[in-house]
Structure formats: structure tokens, C-alpha cells
Amino acid sequence: VRGWFSVRNARAGMRFWIEELEVLFPYDYIYPEQYEYMTYLKQALDAGKTNIGATTGGQAGGHACLEMPTGTGKTVTILSLITSYQFANPGNSSRLVYCTRTVPEIDKVLEECKVVMEYRSKELGVPTTTLALGLSSRRNMCVHPEVSADSERSSCDSKCRNLTAPWVREAKTRDTSIPICQFYEELERIGPEGMLPAGCFSLQDIKKYGQDKGLCPYFLARHMMARANIVVYNYQYLLDPKIANLISKELVDDSVVVFDEAHNIDNVCIEVMTVAVNQDTLNKASSNLSKLATEVDKAKANDEQRLRDEFQTLLRGLSSGGNPTDAGVFANPVLPPDLLSEAIPGNIKKAQNFISVMRRVVHHLKDRMQVVSHQQETPLDFRHKLYKETGGAVGGVDARTLKFCSSLLGTLFRTLEVANIDEFTPIQLVADLATLVGTYTDGFVVIMEPIDERYPNNPNPRPHPV
């Protein structure tokens, strides 16, 4: 009977219908609030399925904001309904992307997901064909003895890149003494055969699988995301453009996206789209640029043609809308729809010229830091002052040039084969600030403060777009 609430007990669980959808719920009791929540959620999924490809005010339908009290089983409610919906509609909404805030919450969701999947498999009497997995940072997933021993995330990332960067691996073919990661190499060697079987894999499950098979768990999980039915990871993997453009680009289409504890989204979005620099940052950025200039000179002395050819090859990838950088190189901080596909300005098509432009940007920011009171202005005003004070019509740094700063910095690092990029975080921040100011007019404001709010007694001006 497909009534409002038709339930059949089935061992430690139940099966019931919500309209035409049969839902498998892994417990023998369900709160009325859970059933009501599922009903609203199904309506949202139906609306999304109906409106895929349609445009309603620029957005597809199917959005919903639902609230349940603490302790009423939101997670199992979401997973039971959406996995049932996936099973009934294999051609639509084929992937669930579940976003949480912390690693323990990732584990909690996957633990509940495992219960739901095991009940479905047991009740239907068939092995599961669903793949659910979690993804976190290298620090939480690495099994390399030396890299995993480092508790600092940035240091762990840097050590990983020093073992897995393409130019490091290429150098290994010429010098066998150069260290590389055997787990990453094994994953690369077996290629498409390095796949997780169907099932539910927590972060620890993936680490154990990687250790047993001699494979890198972090890159294995990233490799399997495109094939997974359920992906559980941190908010930043979807909301931070610098991460999302690398990790989640292929997950956006035809996915059901759930933000757990969604009241945190505003703060996360503000955090990931805010860049702050102070006097110390700018001084270090100047040192970064001097070191990059030295590296460019060395590369020119060794093989100027190779330097020119590779930089130009990567620039062509940028101009065509591609992403020439890998996950170990700085990514673009802007949202995917705003990524550039236009031609790169001629004044930054050479590495030396780009470094010169960045020096002028840093110098301008240092001048703007000389404030004694709080100031703020629109990105348009900031761009106008920068353009005017860097030469105006005679070589001034314009908005079009600023837009490319982050992407070109990544391109330069790739060309110079720099793995230890954490040393260059200051110039990355300046490039990100420049790119955001050059890209956006609405929704941002540039603030100059005479002190760093973390140290209110020490004058330390800092500009940042918010």
C-alpha cells in the first residue's frame, strides 16, 4: 500500500513509501519529524530532476533549506532518502556530495552511511554496487613514513609535493638518488586498475587499503571521486575556489549537494574569499620576487629557449581556459564562472615582465599601507588608484593584468619546477589579492586598517578585500 506512511518491519530496519519512492531505513523506529523531513527532501530532489537543463532566474530548481532539532537523526534521514532516490533514479542525481566542517564529522557521516548501505544490501539480498568515500588533507591520509610523521598541514603538503611533483619524478629517471614516493609511484604504475571496490570507505579505511596495496590513499581517493556515488568532505573542497577548481570541478554537474550545519556557510564563504596582507607580508613578498627573479636568470643561463617555450606553452593553456597547474601549484582564487578565457595581456607574457608587474603591485600596496585611520574603498576605486600611480596610460597596471596574477604565478612556479611553494606564501597572498580586486566589482570592499586586529597595540596596517 502506497499510503502516507506504509511501513513493513524488516529485521532491524524498515521499508516504506513516500509517494512512488520506496525508502529503506536501517532502524526499526522512525520519528515523525524524520519522515516529514524526507518528504520535503524528496520534493526538492524531484524539482531538481525536473528542472535540470532548465533556467529559472539563472539557477536550476531543487534547492532546499531544511532544519531539524539536534538528536533527531538528520544524517541517517538524509542518507536513507537520497540513497533510495539514487537507487530508484540511476540516471539522475547519481552522486551525493556531503559537506561537513571537521574530520570527526566526516567519519560520523561515513559510519552512518555504512549502516544504510549494509541494510540495503542485506534487505535486497544483493551485494552493494555503491561506492562511498571520504576525502581530507594529505596530513590526514598520508601513509608515507616521513611525510605522515609531520603534524603541520602545510609542511606535510610541501614534503608530499617534493616527492610527487612531475619534475621531481622526471629528475628521478636521470638520478636514482632523488627520493620519490613509492606509494604514489605504485598508484601511477597500475593506472586505471588502482580502483576502490564498491563499499563505504572512511578515511581510515582508505588509509588501510592504501597501506595493504602499497598505494597512496590521498591520490587514490581523489582518483576515485569521479566514480564514487557518495563523496564526503570538508566545506572548503566545494566553497574555496582555489581548492574546488582542482578537486571538485567534475562533481558539480548532476550531483545532490548537502551542507551539514549549513548556518556556517556564510562564515566559510567570507573566510575563503578574504585575503589579508600586512607590512611583514609585503616585505616577504618582495624577497619572494627577488628569489624568483634569480631563479628565472638561472633558468635563462642554463636553457633560455626551454624557459621561454615552457612558459609560453603554459600561457596558451591559460588563454584557452585550461588549468596548467597541478594540485601542488597555486590555483586561482576566483569562482569557476569567472575563470578567464581571454587573451593574456602582452605586458606579462614573459616571466621577467610578470615579476616586474608584481613588484609594482607590491610597491603600491606598501605605499597604501601608510594610513593612520581606517579606510575602505570599492575594488573599482582601488584599481583606478593602482593604475594611475603605476603609470596610467604609459604602462599602468590595469584590471585585465590584475586578473591573471594568481594564474601566472602558478604558471611561473610550474615553469621553474618549484616544489617547496610554501616558502612563497606571501607573494601568493599578494597575487590572490590582485586577482580578486581585478576580477570583482560588486560584493567586495577593500579595507585598509592601521593595525592588525590580532595585535591591537602594534601598528601594522593591512589592506584586504572582503
Side-chain angles (χ1 to χ4, degrees):
V1 179
R2 300 188 182 186
W4 181 83
F5 197 121
S6 177
V7 173
R8 180 174 73 83
N9 287 327
R11 295 181 290 276
M14 60 177 68
R15 297 168 69 167
F16 54 87
W17 294 88
I18 298 179
E19 298 174 348
E20 78 289 349
L21 177 66
E22 185 181 31
V23 179
L24 274 69
F25 189 76
Y27 300 108
D28 54 10
Y29 180 82
I30 183 171
Y31 293 121
E33 292 84 358
Q34 289 176 301
Y35 185 88
E36 185 177 10
Y37 188 90
M38 289 186 187
T39 302
Y40 285 124
L41 185 54
K42 179 185 178 297
Q43 292 172 359
L45 295 176
D46 285 342
K49 183 175 67 173
T50 301
N51 290 301
I52 288 177
T55 300
T56 306
Q59 298 288 334
H63 305 302
C65 180
L66 303 174
E67 183 177 6
M68 284 180 68
T70 301
T72 50
K74 292 188 290 292
T75 303
V76 69
T77 301
I78 293 171
L79 293 174
S80 296
L81 189 284
I82 294 180
T83 55
S84 296
Y85 201 92
Q86 287 177 319
F87 186 81
N89 299 275
N92 293 292
S93 303
S94 56
R95 181 184 295 110
L96 166 62
V97 178
Y98 198 113
C99 301
T100 71
R101 295 177 302 161
T102 65
V103 170
E105 289 174 349
I106 293 175
D107 290 335
K108 179 182 176 182
V109 172
L110 288 167
E111 180 180 348
E112 196 74 79
C113 185
K114 187 174 294 186
V115 173
V116 171
M117 289 172 57
E118 288 177 349
Y119 172 68
R120 173 173 291 278
S121 179
K122 185 177 180 180
E123 181 68 14
L124 298 181
V126 295
T128 184
T129 57
T130 298
L131 173 60
L133 60 85
L135 179 68
S136 187
S137 65
R138 290 172 171 88
R139 182 188 61 183
N140 296 322
M141 302 190 72
C142 181
V143 293
H144 188 282
E146 295 179 9
V147 178
S148 61
D150 198 318
S151 60
E152 292 294 328
R153 176 174 178 172
S154 60
S155 179
C156 182
D157 289 350
S158 179
K159 289 180 178 179
C160 175
R161 286 190 290 265
N162 285 332
L163 298 173
T164 60
W167 51 90
V168 174
R169 299 176 63 229
E170 181 182 349
K172 175 71 173 181
T173 62
R174 301 187 298 269
D175 183 355
T176 57
S177 67
I178 294 177
I180 56 176
C181 177
Q182 68 272 24
F183 297 97
Y184 182 82
E185 292 301 313
E186 180 63 13
L187 181 63
E188 287 288 294
R189 186 189 67 79
I190 63 177
E193 295 181 8
M195 299 179 63
L196 288 169
C200 184
F201 291 84
S202 67
L203 301 181
Q204 290 303 315
D205 291 335
I206 299 175
K207 285 183 69 173
K208 185 178 185 306
Y209 185 90
Q211 285 177 319
D212 293 344
K213 302 290 186 179
L215 306 175
C216 171
Y218 172 75
F219 283 102
L220 174 62
R222 283 186 53 180
H223 171 68
M224 294 303 301
M225 284 174 62
R227 296 174 173 82
N229 306 98
I230 301 171
V231 176
V232 185
Y233 56 24
N234 188 277
Y235 278 22
Q236 274 80 356
Y237 283 81
L238 198 61
L239 296 179
D240 187 343
K242 297 188 70 176
I243 303 175
N245 290 337
L246 295 169
I247 302 293
S248 304
K249 190 174 182 180
E250 297 180 358
L251 302 185
V252 176
D253 296 333
D254 197 22
S255 292
V256 177
V257 179
V258 173
F259 288 100
D260 197 11
E261 305 289 343
H263 56 274
N264 296 291
I265 288 181
D266 282 356
N267 289 336
V268 173
C269 289
I270 291 172
E271 178 184 344
V272 301
M273 295 296 284
T274 296
V275 179
V277 301
N278 56 29
Q279 191 69 49
D280 183 59
T281 305
L282 296 177
N283 291 336
K284 291 178 179 178
S286 294
S287 298
N288 289 162
L289 290 172
S290 296
K291 186 167 185 177
L292 287 174
T294 300
E295 293 299 320
V296 169
D297 290 340
K298 288 180 181 178
K300 285 177 60 179
N302 293 332
D303 191 345
E304 182 174 0
Q305 188 62 43
R306 187 204 66 81
L307 173 68
R308 184 185 300 114
D309 290 347
E310 181 159 355
F311 194 70
Q312 292 301 316
T313 297
L314 293 173
L315 290 185
R316 285 194 293 272
L318 264 180
S319 296
S320 64
N323 182 7
T325 63
D326 56 38
V329 182
F330 296 141
N332 202 304
V334 303
L335 298 171
D338 304 311
L339 289 174
L340 294 170
S341 58
E342 60 190 86
I344 298 171
N347 65 326
I348 51 176
K349 279 191 173 182
K350 293 183 179 180
Q352 303 95 315
N353 295 351
F354 170 65
I355 291 175
S356 176
V357 166
M358 290 304 299
R359 279 180 167 149
R360 292 157 66 194
V361 171
V362 171
H363 180 75
H364 176 77
L365 289 173
K366 286 182 177 180
D367 287 343
R368 298 297 305 276
M369 298 287 252
Q370 309 306 313
V371 295
V372 294
S373 62
H374 174 97
Q375 297 180 14
Q376 71 178 48
E377 57 194 45
T378 67
L380 186 62
D381 289 336
F382 185 89
R383 294 198 300 260
H384 177 72
K385 291 178 182 178
L386 173 63
Y387 177 70
K388 181 179 179 181
E389 295 178 18
T390 54
V394 185
V397 180
D398 60 10
R400 189 157 164 257
T401 299
L402 292 174
K403 291 178 182 180
F404 282 95
C405 286
S406 288
S407 296
L408 282 175
L409 183 63
T411 299
L412 184 59
F413 273 85
R414 180 66 179 83
T415 303
L416 296 175
E417 300 183 348
V418 177
N420 187 23
I421 62 174
D422 297 299
E423 176 185 353
F424 296 89
T425 297
I427 193 59
Q428 176 201 12
L429 291 173
V430 174
D432 288 351
L433 188 151
T435 296
L436 290 173
V437 168
T439 303
Y440 297 109
T441 299
D442 299 324
F444 285 79
V445 62
V446 181
I447 300 172
M448 270 73 68
E449 298 174 316
I451 60 173
D452 188 328
E453 61 187 14
R454 297 169 299 174
Y455 310 105
N457 297 322
N458 299 326
N460 188 6
R462 59 175 190 160
H464 51 105
V466 179

